[in-house]
Each structure stands twice: as structure tokens, then as C-alpha cells.
Amino acid sequence: MSVISIIGPSANNINKTDLLGLTLPEMQEWLVERGEPPFRAKQLYSWLYRHLVTGFSAMTNLPQVLRDRLVQEASIGPMVVRSELHSKDDRTRKILLELSDGKLIESVLMLYPPIGESSARATVCVSSQAGCAFGCTFCATGQMGFDRHLSAGEIVAQVLFFARELRTAPWAAEGLPGSAPIDHITNIVLMGMGEPLHNYDNVLRALRILNSPDGFNLGARHMTVSTVGLVPAIRKLSQEPLQVNLAISLHAPTDELRSQTMPVNKKYPLLELLSACRDYIDATGRQVTFEYVLLAGVNDTAQSAHQLGELLAPLKQFAHVNCIPVNATSADYRPPGGEAIRAFRDILFEHGVSNSVRAERGDDIAAACGQLRTRFERNRNHQ
Ligand code: SAH
Ligand code: SF4
């Protein structure tokens, strides 16, 4: 396991400005307020997002007086790694982070070797909140309740942690000779703890910061926001200049079934949700992914598959279903077997609905977000 130095939360950091939460124009303003020329902001951005430094002493092209002042007044994503787990095949790595107020969040790095035409990917699964207010019954985070929104800087810091780790020790796919080791983050998905569209402004700000060509320079097409289905926020997202990918947590084809596992459905029922998706597609011309967590005996029947096919067929090539066998977080749910999944998918194909199945990964390190924190807190309470 590589050792990465991280600035720990300390009393010193409390009144400091977290630079990872500032867009480039905001950083310029921040520096100008302190009597510095605006071009220093680009230099800082380059140190933070290209060189991936964790401290100010490394910023050698900044005058010493400015570096001293930064030490006094600024921080670089203050948080502490409480635990880091690597799956047996090292393709999934998960960290438990303690924020400056002691709250715990999880982030995951998923590594994919190159297959056929597609190149290798290093995807960070980012948390947007500590806990979640939406209480989906199959979700470990949902069962914790809501703590608070993450700041933009706390969202950005999760990505930078893994970016630094890969820079220090590039990952080479085992058994694939000739493929170049992967040393940078290629994708981010807002599929960690929390509901990203409930924390709309901070999430969008974090994505804009990571998108900046003067810094991390990650393309919007490499970013995915997953939502439980907050209708007004989906409409707002469709008007953003930053065109990220949208994934909708659907998980059931009827209001009756969806309301059983997803309380949010009572507020935004399927008809309204689908209409917002239709408007999103019309506004952006982009495909929407529908996530469908398969719960054996609950939503994986042939009837559900037909209903789902009928619901999504009108969206034609603009809808794609991602079937996800549930990662059992409680005794209440279990994933269907391979044959049942195949049958479910075949019915979707009959309706002309494109779909895929998410390969299970990281089971040995508590893959579904929220599980690691739950386990950690259980152990802590037993100590
Ligand atoms: N709140 C957002 C994003 C975070 S959850 C959302 O709900 O979309 C990311 C994805 O993981 C969602 O599709 C969610 O439904 C799914 N998920 C939650 N618990 C799961 C579990 N136990 N097994 C598999 N997927 C799960
Ligand atoms: Fe929250 Fe998403 Fe979990 Fe539902 S699935 S409880 S919205 S994190």
C-alpha cells in the first residue's frame, strides 16, 4: 500500500480557506485581496492539480512571503484517511475519510484494464454528503440518515487523494502485458455516499473546479452524476453549460413498487421523473443511464422486466439500463442468480431497451458505499 501524506485536520485548519473549494476566478480574487497579482492563481492551480502537491513548501515559483502567508491562511483539503482497503485483485480500493469535524465518508477507486477498443480506466466513486436524507431501503448510506452536505473542496479532495496515489504508484493490469500502467484518474462518478443533486451547488462547483483546463482538466464527458430522481434539479442540470453524464436510480418500474424501496417516489413519482428525463434528453441530446438494482424476488420478475421495457422503450436509444445485482447490506435483500439476471435482460432487449450488467467488484472490501463506515462505526462502538 502506498503511503500518501495528507494534511490532517487540526485546530490550525479551522479558520483557513480550503483552496480546493475555489474556482480559478475565485482564487484570483482571493489572491488579489491579499495584494498578490492574479497570475499567481494559475501557478497555484498548477501546483494543486497538475503537480498534485499537498503542501506549500513545494511551490517553488511562489515568493517565500506568499508561501508563508498560505501556510497561515490556507489549507489543501484537510482530511485524514482512517482506513484504506484494497481488494484481492487490487482493482478496487476504498478509503474511509475523516473530515475536519469528525464526520466519516467513503471514496472508492475502481481500476479497469483496457478491453478491446476501450482504453484503461481509473474511476473515482465520490461522496457528495456525509450520510443521506433519502432512506432507500437497500442502501447502507440511506439507513444512516443525513449528517451534512460536503463542501466543494471536500468533494475535490477525494479525487485528488487517488490521483496522487496513482501518480506515485501507477497501476498495471495483471496478465495484460503491453498495456501501459495507468497513472491518472480518467473518470469520476458521483455514486458514493449521499445524493449529489441534494447538494447541487457544491457538487457543480466541484465538477467545474475539476474540469478547469488550467488545473485537473477532466472532461465533463468523463463525469457522471447519479441521482435518486430529484425532478427540479434534473431540469436545472439540463441547462448547465457543463454537460456531465446523468444516471437515474430507477430500481422499479411502477410507483407501487418504487415507493416500497425508495421513499422519494412519493414526492417525485415515475411519470414526473420520466418527463424530466425526456426534457433532459431534448435539451441536451444526451443518453440517460437508468440504474436498476436487482433485488431477488422483489423487482427482478418477468413482469417487472416487461413493465420496465414498456416504460423506457419510448426513450429509444436515449435510454440505457444498468442492471446492478444488489450488494446485500442487510438480511432483507439478496441478488438474483445469473440465470434470472439473463432472463431479465433478455426481456428488456425484446422491448428494444439497451442494457448491461454491472460486474460485481470489491465484494471483499465492502463495496456498496456506506458499508465500510457502518462496519468501522460498529467496531468503534464495541471498543
Ligand atoms: N444518491 C445517489 C447516488 C449515490 S448511490 C443515487 O441514489 O443515485 C449510487 C448508486 O448505488 C445508486 O444507483 C444506488 O441506488 C446504488 N446502491 C445503493 N445501495 C446499493 C446496494 N446495496 N447494492 C447495489 N447498489 C446500491
Ligand atoms: Fe441516498 Fe442514493 Fe442511498 Fe438512496 S441510494 S439512500 S439516494 S445514497
Side-chain angles (χ1 to χ4, degrees), residues 68 93 119 140 143 177 190 224 238 262 267 279 294 298 301 305 336 376:
D68 291 343
R93 302 174 185 178
S119 44
Q143 300 313 302
L190 270 297
T224 300
S238 72
M262 304 179 72
K267 185 150 188 208
D279 292 348
L294 287 162
V298 179
T301 60
F376 181 86

Side-chain angles (χ1 to χ4, degrees), residues 104-173:
L104 295 167
I105 57 161
E106 295 175 19
S107 318
V108 184
L109 174 69
M110 292 167 291
L111 297 154
Y112 302 87
I115 299 167
E117 299 281 280
S118 70
S119 44
R121 272 183 300 145
T123 301
V124 186
C125 181
V126 181
S127 290
S128 56
Q129 300 177 317
C132 180
F134 291 91
C136 303
T137 56
F138 45 81
C139 172
T141 308
Q143 300 313 302
M144 289 170 191
F146 178 66
D147 286 333
R148 69 165 171 87
H149 295 303
L150 299 192
S151 67
E154 287 168 335
I155 297 169
V156 170
Q158 299 170 55
V159 179
L160 291 196
F161 173 83
F162 286 119
R164 293 183 194 119
E165 192 172 271
L166 281 184
R167 176 76 62 83
T168 314
W171 179 80

Side-chain angles (χ1 to χ4, degrees), residues 47-100:
W47 284 115
L48 295 174
Y49 297 110
R50 293 186 183 166
H51 298 282
L52 303 173
V53 302
T54 55
F56 299 110
S57 57
M59 301 181 175
T60 45
N61 60 354
L62 302 187
Q64 187 61 47
V65 233
L66 174 56
R67 280 189 261 161
D68 291 343
R69 188 150 190 197
L70 287 169
V71 171
Q72 295 302 320
E73 295 183 28
S75 61
I76 304 172
M79 42 174 71
V80 157
V81 180
R82 278 278 163 231
S83 153
E84 175 162 5
L85 300 175
H86 291 209
S87 64
K88 282 189 207 102
D89 61 9
D90 196 28
R91 290 187 188 183
T92 309
R93 302 174 185 178
K94 187 166 205 172
I95 51 171
L96 184 71
L97 291 167
E98 183 173 337
L99 308 177
S100 44

Side-chain angles (χ1 to χ4, degrees), residues 52-348:
L52 303 173
V53 302
T54 55
F56 299 110
S57 57
M59 301 181 175
T60 45
N61 60 354
L62 302 187
Q64 187 61 47
V65 233
L66 174 56
R67 280 189 261 161
D68 291 343
R69 188 150 190 197
L70 287 169
V71 171
Q72 295 302 320
E73 295 183 28
S75 61
I76 304 172
M79 42 174 71
V80 157
V81 180
R82 278 278 163 231
S83 153
E84 175 162 5
L85 300 175
H86 291 209
S87 64
K88 282 189 207 102
D89 61 9
D90 196 28
R91 290 187 188 183
T92 309
R93 302 174 185 178
K94 187 166 205 172
I95 51 171
L96 184 71
L97 291 167
E98 183 173 337
L99 308 177
S100 44
D101 60 355
K103 302 283 182 220
L104 295 167
I105 57 161
E106 295 175 19
S107 318
V108 184
L109 174 69
M110 292 167 291
L111 297 154
Y112 302 87
I115 299 167
E117 299 281 280
S118 70
S119 44
R121 272 183 300 145
T123 301
V124 186
C125 181
V126 181
S127 290
S128 56
Q129 300 177 317
C132 180
F134 291 91
C136 303
T137 56
F138 45 81
C139 172
T141 308
Q143 300 313 302
M144 289 170 191
F146 178 66
D147 286 333
R148 69 165 171 87
H149 295 303
L150 299 192
S151 67
E154 287 168 335
I155 297 169
V156 170
Q158 299 170 55
V159 179
L160 291 196
F161 173 83
F162 286 119
R164 293 183 194 119
E165 192 172 271
L166 281 184
R167 176 76 62 83
T168 314
W171 179 80
E174 236 176 272
L176 285 170
S179 65
I182 184 156
D183 63 359
H184 64 283
I185 302 302
T186 63
N187 297 75
I188 62 177
V189 294
L190 270 297
M191 294 187 185
M193 297 169 77
E195 165 53 41
L197 296 188
H198 184 210
N199 186 15
Y200 191 96
D201 291 342
N202 290 344
V203 165
L204 263 288
R205 166 186 289 258
L207 295 181
R208 276 186 223 113
I209 291 169
L210 291 164
N211 178 245
S212 170
D214 292 299
F216 202 68
N217 198 20
L218 187 72
R221 304 274 154 129
H222 297 263
M223 303 171 171
T224 300
V225 169
S226 171
T227 177
V228 72
L230 305 187
V231 166
I234 293 169
R235 293 191 194 281
K236 194 169 167 195
L237 191 67
S238 72
Q239 303 302 316
E240 292 287 344
L242 194 73
Q243 291 279 297
V244 299
N245 302 307
L246 176 65
I248 304 284
S249 287
L250 198 61
H251 308 330
T254 63
D255 280 324
E256 200 195 343
L257 199 56
R258 196 165 189 263
S259 297
Q260 279 174 25
T261 52
M262 304 179 72
V264 74
N265 193 66
K266 294 184 190 106
K267 185 150 188 208
Y268 300 116
L270 279 174
L271 219 59
E272 276 183 47
L273 177 56
L274 265 294
S275 145
C277 292
R278 161 59 70 197
D279 292 348
Y280 179 91
I281 291 165
D282 290 344
T284 63
R286 319 227 23 218
Q287 191 183 60
V288 172
T289 299
F290 292 91
E291 292 157 282
Y292 197 95
V293 167
L294 287 162
L295 310 164
V298 179
N299 67 357
D300 69 335
T301 60
Q303 189 191 18
S304 286
H306 282 294
Q307 286 166 331
L308 183 61
E310 278 159 27
L311 190 70
L312 298 182
L315 298 179
K316 302 207 167 71
Q317 76 276 20
F318 290 104
H320 179 85
V321 176
N322 194 0
C323 299
I324 310 161
V326 68
N327 209 296
T329 55
S330 72
D332 296 343
Y333 300 111
R334 55 189 176 79
E339 229 164 84
I341 297 173
R342 185 76 245 165
F344 190 90
R345 296 186 56 203
D346 280 344
I347 295 174
L348 291 183

